[in-house]
Structures are given as C-alpha cells and as structure tokens.
Amino acid sequence: RGHGRSEPPRDLDACTVDDCVDDLLAVLDAAGEERVVLVGHSMGVQISLEAHRRAPERVAGLVLVCGAPGRLLDEFHDSGLLKVAFPYARRLFDRWPTAAAAVFRGVVRSEIAMEYALAFEVDRERIRVRDLRRYFEDLANVDANVFVRMLESAEAHDASAHLPEIRVPTLVVAGERDGFTPMRLSLRMARAIPRSDMVVLPGGTHAGPIEQPELLSRSVRAFLAARVGVRRARPARA
C-alpha cells in the first residue's frame, strides 16, 4: 500500500503487515492464481511469511531476500539505536505530519543521502548509480506517514515461531554485508525452515537485488527449476 503505483490507504491505521497480506491475497484472487511462489525483499519477507501462515495452500514456494522474520528494528546495524529512536520519530510524524513528510522527502532526494549510501550502505563497486537513484526516488515517493506506520508494524510483527512449520521449498538470500537485516538473521531463518536452501550475495548489502541482479536471477531460476519444478516462467499478464 502506498508503494510504487499503489495509492496510499485512506486510513493511515491500515498500514500493517496483515493489511499487506490482505492485499496480496486479493491480488491473487483477482488474477485467478490459486497457488504461487512468493518472492519478498526486506519487509516483503515478513509479508510472504505471514501470507504462508495464513494461507499455506496458496503458497508453492518462498524466496526470502535480505530480510528477517520479524522485529525489523531490533538488530538494525547490530544496534538497538534505531529501535530506541523510532518512537520519537513516530511522535514527530503524528504531531507535524506534513512538515515531517516534507523533510523525509527532501533528505531522501538529497545528494548527501546518495553519497552517504555509496560510502557506507551499498557496494559502490557493483551498484549502478542510476539504479540507486531510482531506488531513492521510489522511496521518496512513498507517503512518509505510511512508511513510518509500516515500519512500526514490521517491528511489532514476528513470524519466527512459524518457520519450523513451513513445508514448501524455500530459498533464503542474504547479503554478506547487509546492515539493515544482518546476514546472521538470514542464517538463523534458513536453519529454522526445514530443508531450505540458502544463497549469500558476496559483499552484498540490503540493496543486493540491484547490486548483483544477475547472480540473484540465476539463483532464483535454479531454485525454481530444482525445487519447485518451474522450468520457464509464464509471461506476465496485463
């Protein structure tokens, strides 16, 4: 909700992981898809896991990329600092939503944010600057008040207890240098999911999908062929 070409919800309280799962299942129904492989990145990992918990009969497989089963803020950059600071940021957005959103967009679109990311958050040797700019532009176009509430829900949500119950083919993908969701969380997740496969993007960060798209694509295709029996993807339908 509120990402890409999807409109933000009219009710800002309807920005939870459960709401996103409702949307996912509604899209599957509208597309006439009974059973699918879910691919999730970052918070999308939590949404995919929660979708499997709620409707396992709709899920043929899982690809969990640079994410965690829950408590998204707990180990951000191996520190609890963001978790401590987040409630204060939330209060700012509640009190001055328009001003706080404008500041958020300005910071995300600034050259300072770009240079900081290139210096500390991404693999600048592999990532294309134009892809990173698009990444930031997409983030800036998200309603900041929606973003904050979704982040709050991602912190409250935890599907860890469900991991041992997953019986569909699962591929866990980790970025070796992911500071947002450190690789050890992916390792822990892979160990908890029976018969899961794992791929590590060497030197990869949280932006691994745009740093090493070829490796990620090859890994997903090989997984689909070997574990799910998908030899060739069907063309997307309009």
Side-chain angles (χ1 to χ4, degrees), residues 104-133:
F104 174 83
R105 286 193 302 272
V107 169
V108 170
R109 287 190 168 121
S110 70
E111 282 301 314
I112 293 175
M114 176 68 65
E115 290 303 319
Y116 175 85
L118 287 169
F120 301 108
E121 296 292 352
V122 302
D123 184 350
R124 68 184 305 155
E125 299 301 319
R126 287 189 171 100
I127 203 165
R128 294 185 298 187
V129 173
R130 70 173 184 238
D131 289 339
L132 186 60
R133 287 193 186 280

Side-chain angles (χ1 to χ4, degrees), residues 10-229:
R10 295 181 180 88
D11 179 6
L12 283 178
D13 289 328
C15 295
T16 67
V17 170
D18 279 331
D19 291 316
C20 291
V21 174
D22 289 342
D23 293 342
L24 171 59
L25 297 177
V27 168
L28 294 184
D29 290 341
E33 298 289 353
E34 291 297 323
R35 201 160 181 257
V36 297
V37 175
L38 297 178
V39 182
H41 171 257
S42 193
M43 183 179 170
V45 168
Q46 293 176 251
I47 294 167
S48 298
L49 291 171
E50 191 60 33
H52 180 273
R53 174 155 57 185
R54 281 177 45 182
E57 72 283 357
R58 307 296 297 271
V59 182
L62 293 165
V63 180
L64 310 174
V65 184
C66 298
R71 304 293 180 186
L72 206 55
L73 303 182
D74 284 14
E75 301 186 74
F76 179 84
H77 276 287
D78 293 318
S79 167
L81 181 61
L82 184 58
K83 184 175 182 177
V84 172
F86 182 79
Y88 298 97
R90 171 62 198 272
R91 284 199 284 272
L92 286 174
F93 276 88
D94 284 344
R95 188 168 183 180
W96 298 291
T98 303
V103 170
F104 174 83
R105 286 193 302 272
V107 169
V108 170
R109 287 190 168 121
S110 70
E111 282 301 314
I112 293 175
M114 176 68 65
E115 290 303 319
Y116 175 85
L118 287 169
F120 301 108
E121 296 292 352
V122 302
D123 184 350
R124 68 184 305 155
E125 299 301 319
R126 287 189 171 100
I127 203 165
R128 294 185 298 187
V129 173
R130 70 173 184 238
D131 289 339
L132 186 60
R133 287 193 186 280
R134 173 65 186 273
Y135 190 92
F136 273 106
E137 187 61 28
D138 286 346
L139 180 58
N141 286 332
V142 176
D143 183 314
N145 295 287
V146 170
F147 181 80
V148 166
R149 283 164 173 78
M150 283 195 167
L151 196 56
E152 181 178 53
S153 176
E155 167 58 19
H157 171 264
D158 192 354
S160 296
H162 178 64
L163 299 181
E165 307 304 317
I166 295 174
R167 295 293 185 268
V168 296
T170 301
L171 174 65
V172 178
V173 181
E176 185 180 31
R177 293 178 47 243
D178 187 344
F180 285 49
T181 50
M183 185 173 68
R184 68 172 180 280
L185 302 180
S186 295
L187 290 167
R188 192 183 306 160
M189 190 160 51
R191 284 195 294 265
I193 299 173
R195 300 185 63 242
S196 65
D197 296 334
M198 184 160 181
V199 169
V200 176
L201 303 177
T205 72
H206 202 63
I210 57 174
E211 292 168 343
Q212 302 182 52
E214 295 85 4
L215 175 56
L216 179 58
S217 178
R218 287 197 307 271
S219 300
V220 171
R221 287 176 183 273
F223 164 76
L224 292 175
R227 296 290 309 278
V228 188

